[in-house]
Amino acid sequence: MGIQDLTALFNNLDTACKGFVTNEQIVGFYQSIYLAPVAIEHVDGAIQAVCGTLGTVTRPHFIDVLEELERRRSIDEQSYWDFQALDYNGTNRICLKDAFLLFREFHQERFSMFTWQKFLESRTFPGADVYFDEIRFWLCGYPQGEPASLEQITKEEARLERIQGQHGLEGYNAYKVLQDDGNETQEYQDEMQHHIKRRMNKWKKQGLEAMLFDDGMEVEDLESLDASKDHVTLSDLMDALETKYDLLREKLLLEMANLSSAVEGDQSEIFRELCKKERQLRRTGTLGTEVNSLSGARMSLPYSLFGMMGNVRTKDRKQKEEAEKRIKDLEMQGHFKDEIGKIIMAEYREALDDDSTCGGALLAINSRYQEEKEAILSVIKNKGGQTGTITMETSRLSRQHLLITEEADFHPCALAVGLAERPQGYKTSRLTDWDRVRCESLAKLRLLAKKGRKQIKSPHMYADTDQMEEMGVVDLQKKLVVELVEKHKYEREAAIYMLQGRDSENSKVVAKSMTQGERNKLLKTLRNRHTNWKNSRSEDNQVLYTILQEGIGLYYENRKVDLQESQSKVSEDDTNEAVLADLQQRQEGEFQLVVEDIALKSKEGLMKLICINNKQRVEEHLDNVAFVVLGTVELSEGDREFVKALEEKYDALRDRVLYMGLKDDMKGEWKRMTEKEKRKELKDRRKQEKKLRGAGNVEEMGDLIGLKHKAKMLPTLRKLMGEERGEFEARFTKQKTSGQILDESSKGSYEPVNVLADLIPRYDEELDVLVMWLNKPETKSLSIKQQRIKILQLKLEALAAEMEEDFEVAAMFVGLLERVLSSPSGRHATDNVRQRDLAKRRTQLRSQRLQQNQVYEKQMITALDPTHGDTTGWQLCYLREVLARQEGEREHLLQFLQDDSMDDLREAAAMMAESETKARLAELHTKRRRLDLSNQDDQEEYTSILEEAVAIRYVCKKQQIQKETRREPTKDDVTVSILKDLQEEQDNEIAAILENLLNLSEEDLRDLRTEEREKRENRAVPNVLIVLTQSESKTHQQELLTALQHKYESVQAALLTETLIHKHGEAAWNKMADKEKQQQLRALTQEVELLRREGNNVGLIEVLEGFHLDKTFSSIMGVHRFLFLELVRDTEEDWIPEPTEEEQIMKNPLLNLWLRFESEKKNILQKLKGLDEEYMGEQDQLICIVRLTRETLLSQNSGRFLVSATVVGLAERQMEEGKPRMTGDKARYERVARHKMSSTTKKTSYRDQVSREPGLLAQMNAVMELL
C-alpha cells in the first residue's frame, strides 16, 4: 500500500475533517485488515511512542503510528508462543525466572534493570507466577534506563529464585489457614453453588453461548430457579436490598482493583483477593480498623459515598422540608434567588462532607445498608405491611441492580443508583434541587464515556408471549423492570449520539441562526410530524431520527438560553449535560409512574405493559426523547378522548379541502362518479396529504388543493376561521373583565403557506391550549360531566365541517362555532364581518345551484342511537338534529328571499307605514302561535305567514341599509343581511343549548331530539320566524343583560356580607378595616362564582358556613317584575297571592337568587325577540335599563341583606297607581320602615338624621302613606 493510499485511508477515517483520528478508529481499521482483535493498549502505546500524546493521531504521524503498531503486533504474536513454550504445566502462568528470560529475549541488548524493576513494582504480589496478559505489553514497549550488565543479570536471577521460594512458602501457609477455617470454606462452597445455579439458569434462558461468555456480573442472571411466584414477600425484599449493597460493594472493590493496578490485566486477580479479604474483615468485625490494609483503600474518589448517592429516601425528604423552610427564611431576609440557591447548596454539601477515599466509601456502604433497611421497614410498617408497598420497593431495588451492572465505573454507578432511590422532578432548578446537580453530573460522565464512539442500537428481539404465559406475576414484574431499564438505556444512547455525534454540529448551527420564536414554531411543526410518523406506524426509523436530530438542535439552543439566565458562561458541554439530564429526569418520572401502579396490575396487564415497552425499545420509538425535545405529551386514557375529538375536527376540515381539490381536478367526471368511487379517491388523497404532512413538505400540499394557483387565490385560513383558540380565550377573558368587546389581531403566530398546510400549526396551537386546559387544577376540580362538554364542543365543530360541502363555508362556520359562547354577549368586529362573509358565500352557492338546476338535498341523519349511559353521545345526537334543522331554516329563508315571484308582496309591504309594519309583524307572530303544524291546512297557513313576514322584513331591512349606507342596496345585499341575522340567532341558540346541556338528563335529551325531528318533519323554522318578526331595535340587549347581572351581583354581595358577619361576629366585623372587609368579600364572591360554574349546588349551601335565612326567598323579595305583570294580566284583584317555594330550594338562598336571575333574563330575551305578547321597543329597553340601574343602587345603599333584597323586590313591582300589589308587600314595606326608623335612632336623634339626609323624611312619609 503506497503513501497516497495511506493518505486516502486517513481521509476515509477522518470523515468529520477534524485533522485527526482516534484510537478507536485505528483499532477498527486494523481489525478489518487482520480479521482479529487488536488490544487498545497496543494502539495507545504506539501513539504514545510516536506522538508523545494519548488518544488521537494527526495526519503527519499516521504512517509512523501504523508502522509502530505493526512492530508491536509482531512482537505480541511471537512472545505469546514463547510464553506457551515456557508454560510447562499448562497453567497459563510462568515463573519469575522465565519471565526474566522473556524480557532479556525481546529487549535484547537494550534490556535494562530499571524497566524490569518497574514491572515488579507494578505487581501486587511480586513473587507470584506471571500470566501472559500481565507481561505482554511490557515486552512490546521500549525499555528505559541503562542497558544491564552481565553481573547485574546474574545477581537478579539468584534473587528471583529466593523470592519465588519465599512466595511458595507463604502460599502454603495461607492454604493451611484456609483449611483450618471451616466457615470460610463453607462460604466458598456456597458461593460456588450459587454461581453454578446462576450459570445453569443463564444456559436455559439465553443459550450455551451466553453461559460460556458469562462475565459473572450480570444481575439478571441472579433470578431464582424456583417455581414462579405470584407475590413478593418481605424476605424477598430484604434479599433484594442485600443484593443491591453486595453489588455496590463489588463495584467499589473493582474500582479499587483498577486504581491500585499498575499493569493492565491483573485487575481480576486483585479484585478476587480484595473480595476475599474484605469479606473476611467484615465477618470478623475488623473492617473499620483494617480497611486501609486493602489495596486501593487510600485512593480518592471524586466525592464521598453520600455525596454521590445522597441520603436514603426518608432522610432526604426531611432534608428537603428543612431546605424549604430555610428558603422562606432567606426570602424574608431579602436574599435574591441566586444567592439563596448558593447558600442552600453550600449547606447541603457541608452536611454531606465525609471521607472521599475508597476505604471511606466501603465503610459508608455498610452503614448506608442499615439506614436503608430501617427506612424501608418503617415505610412498610406505616403502610400496614401492604403487599403493594413491598412489591413497589422490590421493583425499585430490581431496577437499581440493573443500573449497577449497566455503568462501568463506580462514580456513575453510585449517582445512578442514588437518583433511582428517590422520586425525581422534571427540569428542576440546580440552585435548590441537589438531585438535579447529581443528575447533571451523571449526564456529564455518560457523555464523556460515549464520546467518539458509535451509537449502540437495540437488538431486535420481541417479547415472547408464550414464554410470558408460563411466568408468574413476580417474574413478569421483574421482566417489566428489565424492559423499562433497557428502553431507557437505548433512549440515552440515541440522545447522546444526537448531542455529540456526526450530525449534531449541523443541527446546532441551524438552530443558532434562528430566533427563539422561530425555534418554538419549528418545534411545534416537528412535533406534528412526529405524531404523524407515529400514527402511520412506519417502519422507517430514519424519518424519526431526522425529526429528533433537528429537534434536539432547537431544544439545545433554547436550553442554552435558559441556562444563560442563571450562569454567566455556558459551554456546549454544559448545555449537552442539561439536555441529557432532562431526559434522565423524564425517565425517572416514567419509571415512578409505572412502579406506583405495578402491584395493582394483573398478569394480563403486566404482559401488555411489557409488550408495549418492548415494542417501543425494539422499534426505537424514543418516546422520552421526543417528550423532552419536542414537547410531546403522554395523556391518560380519558384525556386521549379529548385529543381524538380535536383530531377528528381537523380531519373533517382537511377532507373539505381535499374534496374541493378533487372536484377541481376531475371537473365533470366527478359528478358522474358513484359515492363509492368518490370515497376511494378521497382516501387516496388523504394518504398523499398524510405522507406530505409527515415529511414536512408543506409547499407541495398546495398541489392537492385543486387547480393551479388556487392555493394562492383562496383566502388565508386565519381570514376564514379567525384567531386561534388560545388567542380567543385570552382576549375573551380580558373582555369579560373590562366589559369592552376587543377585536382580534390581524396577524397570527405563523406565516400562511396554504390552507391545507396552515391547518398543521393551527392544530398544534389548539392542542397546546387543550393540554394546558386539561392539566389546570381548575379543570381537574370539575366533574367528568363538565369536562366532557369540551369534547362535545370539538365534536360539534367536526360535525359542522362534515355537514358543509364547500370548504370556505365549513372553515368560516367552524371558526365562528369555536367562539360561539361569546355570541350572546356580542361578537367582535372581525367576526361580524366573517358572519356577513359566510352569509354572502352561502347566498352565492345557492344562486349557483339554482342556475345549474340542482335540487336541494335535505340533510339525512343516518347515525345510530348512542348506547344507554353515553351522555356525550346523546348530547351530540341532539345537537346533530339542531344543526340539521338550522340548515333547513337557512334554506327556507333563502328560498323566500331569492324567489322572484314574491316581488308583488314586497311592493305591497313597501306601501305600509312603519307603525303598520310593526303591528302586522306582531299579528303574524300571534297567528303563528295558534297554528298546529302537524295539521296540513295549518302548514299552508304557516307558509303564507312566512311569505308575508319575509316581504315586510325585506322592505324594512332595505330601508335600514339605505339609511345606514346612503345608497340603494341590491337584492343580494338585503338577502345577505337578513341571512346574517338568522345565523346570529342560530349561534345564540347553540350557545344557549351548550350552557344548559349539563342540566339535561338522557331522557330529556331523547325528548328534545324527538322534538327537533318533529320540527323538521313539519318544516317548522322557529329562528326564521324570530328574525322576521322580532323588533329591529336590539341594540341595547347587552346593556340590559349587564344591568341585570349587576343588580343580582349587588344582592349577592349583601347576602355574602351577612355570611361574613355571621362568621366573625358583628362586633369583630365592625372593628375590621374596610380594605380587609372588601378582600374577604371578594374572595368569597370568587368562590361562589367557581361553585356556580361547576354546578355545585351543595357547595353553594356550604359556602354560607351555617348562615341561613329565617324566611323563604320569595317572602323576602317576591316575584320579579315580568312575572308580576303576567299575574296582573290574569287578574282584576288589587291583592295578588304569593306563589309557594319548593322546600329544597328554600334552604339554598344563593341558588334561589340565581334561578330568579335566569327567569328574569329569559323574560327580557323573549320580549326582545318578540316571543312574548308584546315587544320591547328601544324606548322600553332604555326605561328597563334605568329601572335595573335604580334597583342596583337601592340594593347597594340599603345596608343589610334582608332590607337590601326587600327594597329591590318592592322597587321591581312599583306601579304608577300603587295597585295592584302582592299580598306580602305590606309586610315588606313594614320591614323597610322599621329598619329605617331603627337605623336613624341608633346613632343620632331623628332630627339630626333628617337634617343630614333631606330626602329620608320624604321617603319614609311616602312609605307610611302607602302602608
Side-chain angles (χ1 to χ4, degrees), residues 1212-1235:
E1212 289 174 340
R1213 295 183 297 278
Q1214 281 183 348
M1215 303 291 284
E1216 290 181 10
E1217 298 177 358
K1219 292 181 181 181
R1221 291 196 297 268
M1222 304 297 295
T1223 53
D1225 279 355
K1226 182 177 180 181
R1228 294 185 184 100
Y1229 278 115
E1230 288 175 349
R1231 190 185 307 143
V1232 174
R1234 280 196 301 272
H1235 170 74

PDB file of all heavy atoms in Angstrom, residues 1212-1235:
ATOM      1  N   GLU A1212     -89.012  46.580  42.062  1.00  0.00           N
ATOM      2  CA  GLU A1212     -89.320  45.887  40.808  1.00  0.00           C
ATOM      3  C   GLU A1212     -90.814  45.942  40.478  1.00  0.00           C
ATOM      4  O   GLU A1212     -91.199  46.016  39.307  1.00  0.00           O
ATOM      5  CB  GLU A1212     -88.894  44.419  40.898  1.00  0.00           C
ATOM      6  CG  GLU A1212     -87.397  44.201  40.889  1.00  0.00           C
ATOM      7  CD  GLU A1212     -87.025  42.745  41.138  1.00  0.00           C
ATOM      8  OE1 GLU A1212     -87.867  41.984  41.679  1.00  0.00           O
ATOM      9  OE2 GLU A1212     -85.900  42.357  40.798  1.00  0.00           O
ATOM     10  N   ARG A1213     -91.635  45.904  41.518  1.00  0.00           N
ATOM     11  CA  ARG A1213     -93.084  45.788  41.287  1.00  0.00           C
ATOM     12  C   ARG A1213     -93.838  47.107  41.455  1.00  0.00           C
ATOM     13  O   ARG A1213     -95.058  47.125  41.591  1.00  0.00           O
ATOM     14  CB  ARG A1213     -93.664  44.741  42.253  1.00  0.00           C
ATOM     15  CG  ARG A1213     -93.143  43.336  42.000  1.00  0.00           C
ATOM     16  CD  ARG A1213     -93.794  42.318  42.920  1.00  0.00           C
ATOM     17  NE  ARG A1213     -93.498  42.548  44.315  1.00  0.00           N
ATOM     18  CZ  ARG A1213     -92.387  42.160  44.928  1.00  0.00           C
ATOM     19  NH1 ARG A1213     -91.441  41.525  44.235  1.00  0.00           N
ATOM     20  NH2 ARG A1213     -92.195  42.400  46.201  1.00  0.00           N
ATOM     21  N   GLN A1214     -93.143  48.222  41.492  1.00  0.00           N
ATOM     22  CA  GLN A1214     -93.812  49.519  41.641  1.00  0.00           C
ATOM     23  C   GLN A1214     -94.694  49.806  40.426  1.00  0.00           C
ATOM     24  O   GLN A1214     -94.242  49.668  39.285  1.00  0.00           O
ATOM     25  CB  GLN A1214     -92.788  50.635  41.820  1.00  0.00           C
ATOM     26  CG  GLN A1214     -92.227  50.711  43.237  1.00  0.00           C
ATOM     27  CD  GLN A1214     -91.270  51.864  43.426  1.00  0.00           C
ATOM     28  OE1 GLN A1214     -90.854  52.476  42.453  1.00  0.00           O
ATOM     29  NE2 GLN A1214     -90.915  52.157  44.667  1.00  0.00           N
ATOM     30  N   MET A1215     -95.945  50.216  40.690  1.00  0.00           N
ATOM     31  CA  MET A1215     -96.906  50.576  39.640  1.00  0.00           C
ATOM     32  C   MET A1215     -97.254  52.053  39.794  1.00  0.00           C
ATOM     33  O   MET A1215     -97.177  52.626  40.887  1.00  0.00           O
ATOM     34  CB  MET A1215     -98.158  49.722  39.752  1.00  0.00           C
ATOM     35  CG  MET A1215     -97.906  48.217  39.684  1.00  0.00           C
ATOM     36  SD  MET A1215     -97.362  47.659  38.065  1.00  0.00           S
ATOM     37  CE  MET A1215     -98.908  47.695  37.185  1.00  0.00           C
ATOM     38  N   GLU A1216     -97.658  52.647  38.698  1.00  0.00           N
ATOM     39  CA  GLU A1216     -97.945  54.093  38.702  1.00  0.00           C
ATOM     40  C   GLU A1216     -99.028  54.431  39.715  1.00  0.00           C
ATOM     41  O   GLU A1216     -98.947  55.441  40.412  1.00  0.00           O
ATOM     42  CB  GLU A1216     -98.385  54.545  37.307  1.00  0.00           C
ATOM     43  CG  GLU A1216     -97.248  54.518  36.285  1.00  0.00           C
ATOM     44  CD  GLU A1216     -97.701  54.997  34.914  1.00  0.00           C
ATOM     45  OE1 GLU A1216     -98.822  55.514  34.817  1.00  0.00           O
ATOM     46  OE2 GLU A1216     -96.927  54.839  33.959  1.00  0.00           O
ATOM     47  N   GLU A1217    -100.058  53.587  39.824  1.00  0.00           N
ATOM     48  CA  GLU A1217    -101.194  53.898  40.706  1.00  0.00           C
ATOM     49  C   GLU A1217    -101.046  53.210  42.067  1.00  0.00           C
ATOM     50  O   GLU A1217    -101.942  53.311  42.912  1.00  0.00           O
ATOM     51  CB  GLU A1217    -102.500  53.441  40.042  1.00  0.00           C
ATOM     52  CG  GLU A1217    -102.768  54.176  38.727  1.00  0.00           C
ATOM     53  CD  GLU A1217    -104.030  53.665  38.047  1.00  0.00           C
ATOM     54  OE1 GLU A1217    -104.648  52.728  38.596  1.00  0.00           O
ATOM     55  OE2 GLU A1217    -104.358  54.194  36.978  1.00  0.00           O
ATOM     56  N   GLY A1218     -99.931  52.506  42.287  1.00  0.00           N
ATOM     57  CA  GLY A1218     -99.732  51.839  43.574  1.00  0.00           C
ATOM     58  C   GLY A1218    -100.471  50.531  43.689  1.00  0.00           C
ATOM     59  O   GLY A1218    -100.339  49.825  44.701  1.00  0.00           O
ATOM     60  N   LYS A1219    -101.261  50.180  42.726  1.00  0.00           N
ATOM     61  CA  LYS A1219    -102.027  48.937  42.724  1.00  0.00           C
ATOM     62  C   LYS A1219    -101.979  48.350  41.326  1.00  0.00           C
ATOM     63  O   LYS A1219    -101.780  49.086  40.349  1.00  0.00           O
ATOM     64  CB  LYS A1219    -103.478  49.201  43.137  1.00  0.00           C
ATOM     65  CG  LYS A1219    -103.651  49.613  44.587  1.00  0.00           C
ATOM     66  CD  LYS A1219    -105.118  49.815  44.904  1.00  0.00           C
ATOM     67  CE  LYS A1219    -105.304  50.250  46.361  1.00  0.00           C
ATOM     68  NZ  LYS A1219    -106.729  50.438  46.688  1.00  0.00           N
ATOM     69  N   PRO A1220    -102.209  47.015  41.239  1.00  0.00           N
ATOM     70  CA  PRO A1220    -102.336  46.044  42.344  1.00  0.00           C
ATOM     71  C   PRO A1220    -100.984  45.747  42.992  1.00  0.00           C
ATOM     72  O   PRO A1220     -99.941  46.138  42.488  1.00  0.00           O
ATOM     73  CB  PRO A1220    -102.900  44.814  41.641  1.00  0.00           C
ATOM     74  CG  PRO A1220    -102.416  44.911  40.241  1.00  0.00           C
ATOM     75  CD  PRO A1220    -102.372  46.364  39.913  1.00  0.00           C
ATOM     76  N   ARG A1221    -101.055  44.993  44.142  1.00  0.00           N
ATOM     77  CA  ARG A1221     -99.837  44.626  44.859  1.00  0.00           C
ATOM     78  C   ARG A1221     -99.922  43.166  45.281  1.00  0.00           C
ATOM     79  O   ARG A1221    -101.004  42.588  45.351  1.00  0.00           O
ATOM     80  CB  ARG A1221     -99.663  45.516  46.106  1.00  0.00           C
ATOM     81  CG  ARG A1221     -99.347  46.956  45.788  1.00  0.00           C
ATOM     82  CD  ARG A1221     -98.818  47.685  47.011  1.00  0.00           C
ATOM     83  NE  ARG A1221     -99.789  47.742  48.081  1.00  0.00           N
ATOM     84  CZ  ARG A1221    -100.660  48.733  48.266  1.00  0.00           C
ATOM     85  NH1 ARG A1221    -100.656  49.749  47.426  1.00  0.00           N
ATOM     86  NH2 ARG A1221    -101.506  48.718  49.278  1.00  0.00           N
ATOM     87  N   MET A1222     -98.729  42.616  45.612  1.00  0.00           N
ATOM     88  CA  MET A1222     -98.687  41.263  46.146  1.00  0.00           C
ATOM     89  C   MET A1222     -99.164  41.292  47.590  1.00  0.00           C
ATOM     90  O   MET A1222     -98.958  42.287  48.309  1.00  0.00           O
ATOM     91  CB  MET A1222     -97.259  40.686  46.095  1.00  0.00           C
ATOM     92  CG  MET A1222     -96.612  40.690  44.712  1.00  0.00           C
ATOM     93  SD  MET A1222     -97.472  39.663  43.512  1.00  0.00           S
ATOM     94  CE  MET A1222     -97.243  38.050  44.216  1.00  0.00           C
ATOM     95  N   THR A1223     -99.765  40.222  48.045  1.00  0.00           N
ATOM     96  CA  THR A1223    -100.293  40.200  49.416  1.00  0.00           C
ATOM     97  C   THR A1223     -99.179  40.353  50.452  1.00  0.00           C
ATOM     98  O   THR A1223     -99.419  40.838  51.559  1.00  0.00           O
ATOM     99  CB  THR A1223    -101.033  38.873  49.669  1.00  0.00           C
ATOM    100  OG1 THR A1223    -100.160  37.780  49.342  1.00  0.00           O
ATOM    101  CG2 THR A1223    -102.293  38.772  48.820  1.00  0.00           C
ATOM    102  N   GLY A1224     -97.960  39.921  50.108  1.00  0.00           N
ATOM    103  CA  GLY A1224     -96.851  40.018  51.069  1.00  0.00           C
ATOM    104  C   GLY A1224     -96.154  41.358  51.057  1.00  0.00           C
ATOM    105  O   GLY A1224     -95.249  41.582  51.872  1.00  0.00           O
ATOM    106  N   ASP A1225     -96.530  42.267  50.141  1.00  0.00           N
ATOM    107  CA  ASP A1225     -95.824  43.538  50.048  1.00  0.00           C
ATOM    108  C   ASP A1225     -96.045  44.423  51.265  1.00  0.00           C
ATOM    109  O   ASP A1225     -95.186  45.230  51.619  1.00  0.00           O
ATOM    110  CB  ASP A1225     -96.241  44.281  48.781  1.00  0.00           C
ATOM    111  CG  ASP A1225     -95.514  43.767  47.545  1.00  0.00           C
ATOM    112  OD1 ASP A1225     -94.624  42.906  47.720  1.00  0.00           O
ATOM    113  OD2 ASP A1225     -95.830  44.195  46.415  1.00  0.00           O
ATOM    114  N   LYS A1226     -97.204  44.286  51.930  1.00  0.00           N
ATOM    115  CA  LYS A1226     -97.464  45.095  53.106  1.00  0.00           C
ATOM    116  C   LYS A1226     -96.423  44.803  54.187  1.00  0.00           C
ATOM    117  O   LYS A1226     -95.829  45.714  54.776  1.00  0.00           O
ATOM    118  CB  LYS A1226     -98.868  44.811  53.633  1.00  0.00           C
ATOM    119  CG  LYS A1226     -99.245  45.656  54.836  1.00  0.00           C
ATOM    120  CD  LYS A1226    -100.678  45.390  55.263  1.00  0.00           C
ATOM    121  CE  LYS A1226    -101.051  46.250  56.468  1.00  0.00           C
ATOM    122  NZ  LYS A1226    -102.429  45.997  56.916  1.00  0.00           N
ATOM    123  N   ALA A1227     -96.197  43.520  54.423  1.00  0.00           N
ATOM    124  CA  ALA A1227     -95.187  43.126  55.418  1.00  0.00           C
ATOM    125  C   ALA A1227     -93.794  43.594  54.988  1.00  0.00           C
ATOM    126  O   ALA A1227     -92.969  43.975  55.832  1.00  0.00           O
ATOM    127  CB  ALA A1227     -95.199  41.606  55.592  1.00  0.00           C
ATOM    128  N   ARG A1228     -93.509  43.595  53.709  1.00  0.00           N
ATOM    129  CA  ARG A1228     -92.199  44.023  53.217  1.00  0.00           C
ATOM    130  C   ARG A1228     -91.997  45.515  53.456  1.00  0.00           C
ATOM    131  O   ARG A1228     -90.920  45.953  53.859  1.00  0.00           O
ATOM    132  CB  ARG A1228     -92.065  43.698  51.725  1.00  0.00           C
ATOM    133  CG  ARG A1228     -92.057  42.196  51.436  1.00  0.00           C
ATOM    134  CD  ARG A1228     -91.811  41.882  49.969  1.00  0.00           C
ATOM    135  NE  ARG A1228     -91.911  40.443  49.727  1.00  0.00           N
ATOM    136  CZ  ARG A1228     -92.961  39.813  49.222  1.00  0.00           C
ATOM    137  NH1 ARG A1228     -94.043  40.519  48.855  1.00  0.00           N
ATOM    138  NH2 ARG A1228     -92.961  38.514  49.081  1.00  0.00           N
ATOM    139  N   TYR A1229     -93.017  46.319  53.174  1.00  0.00           N
ATOM    140  CA  TYR A1229     -92.905  47.761  53.443  1.00  0.00           C
ATOM    141  C   TYR A1229     -92.708  48.028  54.929  1.00  0.00           C
ATOM    142  O   TYR A1229     -91.935  48.904  55.327  1.00  0.00           O
ATOM    143  CB  TYR A1229     -94.154  48.481  52.930  1.00  0.00           C
ATOM    144  CG  TYR A1229     -94.108  48.778  51.441  1.00  0.00           C
ATOM    145  CD1 TYR A1229     -95.007  48.178  50.562  1.00  0.00           C
ATOM    146  CD2 TYR A1229     -93.171  49.675  50.932  1.00  0.00           C
ATOM    147  CE1 TYR A1229     -94.964  48.441  49.205  1.00  0.00           C
ATOM    148  CE2 TYR A1229     -93.130  49.953  49.575  1.00  0.00           C
ATOM    149  CZ  TYR A1229     -94.023  49.332  48.714  1.00  0.00           C
ATOM    150  OH  TYR A1229     -93.969  49.610  47.375  1.00  0.00           O
ATOM    151  N   GLU A1230     -93.414  47.291  55.777  1.00  0.00           N
ATOM    152  CA  GLU A1230     -93.260  47.466  57.222  1.00  0.00           C
ATOM    153  C   GLU A1230     -91.826  47.141  57.647  1.00  0.00           C
ATOM    154  O   GLU A1230     -91.240  47.811  58.490  1.00  0.00           O
ATOM    155  CB  GLU A1230     -94.244  46.565  57.968  1.00  0.00           C
ATOM    156  CG  GLU A1230     -95.685  47.025  57.858  1.00  0.00           C
ATOM    157  CD  GLU A1230     -96.652  46.039  58.505  1.00  0.00           C
ATOM    158  OE1 GLU A1230     -96.197  44.917  58.841  1.00  0.00           O
ATOM    159  OE2 GLU A1230     -97.836  46.388  58.656  1.00  0.00           O
ATOM    160  N   ARG A1231     -91.250  46.078  57.026  1.00  0.00           N
ATOM    161  CA  ARG A1231     -89.871  45.671  57.344  1.00  0.00           C
ATOM    162  C   ARG A1231     -88.898  46.791  57.011  1.00  0.00           C
ATOM    163  O   ARG A1231     -88.014  47.125  57.793  1.00  0.00           O
ATOM    164  CB  ARG A1231     -89.531  44.415  56.552  1.00  0.00           C
ATOM    165  CG  ARG A1231     -88.222  43.752  56.963  1.00  0.00           C
ATOM    166  CD  ARG A1231     -87.907  42.589  56.044  1.00  0.00           C
ATOM    167  NE  ARG A1231     -89.030  41.665  55.970  1.00  0.00           N
ATOM    168  CZ  ARG A1231     -89.417  41.013  54.883  1.00  0.00           C
ATOM    169  NH1 ARG A1231     -88.765  41.214  53.741  1.00  0.00           N
ATOM    170  NH2 ARG A1231     -90.435  40.196  54.896  1.00  0.00           N
ATOM    171  N   VAL A1232     -89.077  47.417  55.845  1.00  0.00           N
ATOM    172  CA  VAL A1232     -88.190  48.504  55.435  1.00  0.00           C
ATOM    173  C   VAL A1232     -88.356  49.701  56.353  1.00  0.00           C
ATOM    174  O   VAL A1232     -87.375  50.326  56.770  1.00  0.00           O
ATOM    175  CB  VAL A1232     -88.478  48.906  53.968  1.00  0.00           C
ATOM    176  CG1 VAL A1232     -87.666  50.136  53.583  1.00  0.00           C
ATOM    177  CG2 VAL A1232     -88.178  47.752  53.034  1.00  0.00           C
ATOM    178  N   ALA A1233     -89.596  50.006  56.706  1.00  0.00           N
ATOM    179  CA  ALA A1233     -89.857  51.163  57.561  1.00  0.00           C
ATOM    180  C   ALA A1233     -89.227  50.975  58.941  1.00  0.00           C
ATOM    181  O   ALA A1233     -88.598  51.896  59.492  1.00  0.00           O
ATOM    182  CB  ALA A1233     -91.364  51.378  57.693  1.00  0.00           C
ATOM    183  N   ARG A1234     -89.369  49.761  59.515  1.00  0.00           N
ATOM    184  CA  ARG A1234     -88.775  49.501  60.834  1.00  0.00           C
ATOM    185  C   ARG A1234     -87.257  49.647  60.784  1.00  0.00           C
ATOM    186  O   ARG A1234     -86.653  50.185  61.710  1.00  0.00           O
ATOM    187  CB  ARG A1234     -89.150  48.087  61.299  1.00  0.00           C
ATOM    188  CG  ARG A1234     -90.546  47.977  61.884  1.00  0.00           C
ATOM    189  CD  ARG A1234     -90.723  46.690  62.655  1.00  0.00           C
ATOM    190  NE  ARG A1234     -90.504  45.509  61.820  1.00  0.00           N
ATOM    191  CZ  ARG A1234     -91.464  44.925  61.100  1.00  0.00           C
ATOM    192  NH1 ARG A1234     -92.697  45.410  61.142  1.00  0.00           N
ATOM    193  NH2 ARG A1234     -91.180  43.875  60.372  1.00  0.00           N
ATOM    194  N   HIS A1235     -86.653  49.176  59.704  1.00  0.00           N
ATOM    195  CA  HIS A1235     -85.197  49.279  59.572  1.00  0.00           C
ATOM    196  C   HIS A1235     -84.778  50.748  59.499  1.00  0.00           C
ATOM    197  O   HIS A1235     -83.807  51.157  60.142  1.00  0.00           O
ATOM    198  CB  HIS A1235     -84.728  48.550  58.303  1.00  0.00           C
ATOM    199  CG  HIS A1235     -83.289  48.819  57.970  1.00  0.00           C
ATOM    200  ND1 HIS A1235     -82.238  48.266  58.671  1.00  0.00           N
ATOM    201  CD2 HIS A1235     -82.734  49.627  57.008  1.00  0.00           C
ATOM    202  CE1 HIS A1235     -81.097  48.690  58.161  1.00  0.00           C
ATOM    203  NE2 HIS A1235     -81.368  49.521  57.150  1.00  0.00           N
TER     204      HIS A1235
END
